[in-house]
Amino acid sequence: MIKGEWVNWRAGVLAAALALSASPALAQTTPVPLPKPLLSGTTSGVGWGIYADGLTKAGLQEEGQGLRVGVPTGAGVLGTRYDAAKRTALLTYRLPKGLDARSALAFATNQLQLQGFDIGKRTFPEASSARATLSRDGQSIEVQTMRQANGDMQVMYVFGSLQP
């Protein structure tokens, strides 16, 4: 190998080593893969998904993957339902130790706040129910939590329209 070839070869090896050492930094900017949603759709131009588990803080904060909501760790999803006429998505789950309506509301609104929603009005009509309104970039969503007599938790997401 002549001197010029040696320098080029060495520069190539160095570039490859730098590329490999930079891969953890690249992994941080790679979109976080999400599990398959139990229920998903688009309402008022907003894509959304309800997940059984696997939502991490990083996954919730990832841009461009639509609105994502899930259940607390250890919860068993009992069902989901979407009503297009009312623009609502309902999630029903059960936790081994139970969860009150306020705690369920705090969990649900925290997930939305991690996605850039600002929390507005919160109300607690009775011990078994709570609700909050959130907004982001002209979008609004109301979250209603209701603890059933058997301990099951229902969380209803009411999708608002885009504000002019």
Side-chain angles (χ1 to χ4, degrees):
M1 223 183 259
I2 60 174
K3 187 175 181 181
E5 291 174 331
W6 172 252
V7 171
N8 286 339
W9 180 82
R10 204 168 149 200
V13 169
L14 182 59
L18 286 173
L20 288 174
S21 68
S23 63
L26 292 174
Q28 293 174 356
T29 61
T30 303
V32 177
L34 293 173
K36 185 175 178 175
L38 296 170
L39 183 66
S40 63
T42 301
T43 304
S44 299
V46 178
W48 55 270
I50 296 177
Y51 298 83
D53 57 17
L55 288 181
T56 63
K57 184 176 179 180
L60 288 169
Q61 292 174 320
E62 186 68 36
E63 294 284 330
Q65 295 191 31
L67 175 72
R68 298 159 308 278
V69 294
V71 298
T73 302
V77 174
L78 301 174
T80 58
R81 183 176 64 223
Y82 178 70
D83 185 327
K86 295 180 181 177
R87 297 186 351 206
T88 60
L90 179 66
L91 168 63
T92 304
Y93 62 87
R94 180 177 297 153
L95 281 173
K97 293 193 287 186
L99 185 69
D100 67 9
R102 285 181 183 230
S103 298
L105 183 68
F107 179 82
T109 57
N110 181 53
Q111 288 184 328
L112 294 170
Q113 287 176 298
L114 287 170
Q115 295 172 69
F117 280 83
D118 294 317
I119 193 159
K121 185 178 178 182
R122 284 179 272 201
T123 58
F124 309 98
E126 51 193 60
S128 62
S129 67
R131 67 178 52 187
T133 304
L134 298 98
S135 62
R136 173 184 77 182
D137 300 329
Q139 304 167 321
S140 67
I141 188 166
E142 182 178 330
V143 180
Q144 301 174 9
T145 59
M146 299 142 291
R147 184 175 168 100
Q148 305 301 302
N150 64 359
D152 295 345
M153 186 60 63
Q154 290 189 321
V155 182
M156 182 177 298
Y157 299 91
V158 182
F159 299 98
S161 60
L162 295 172
Q163 305 298 319

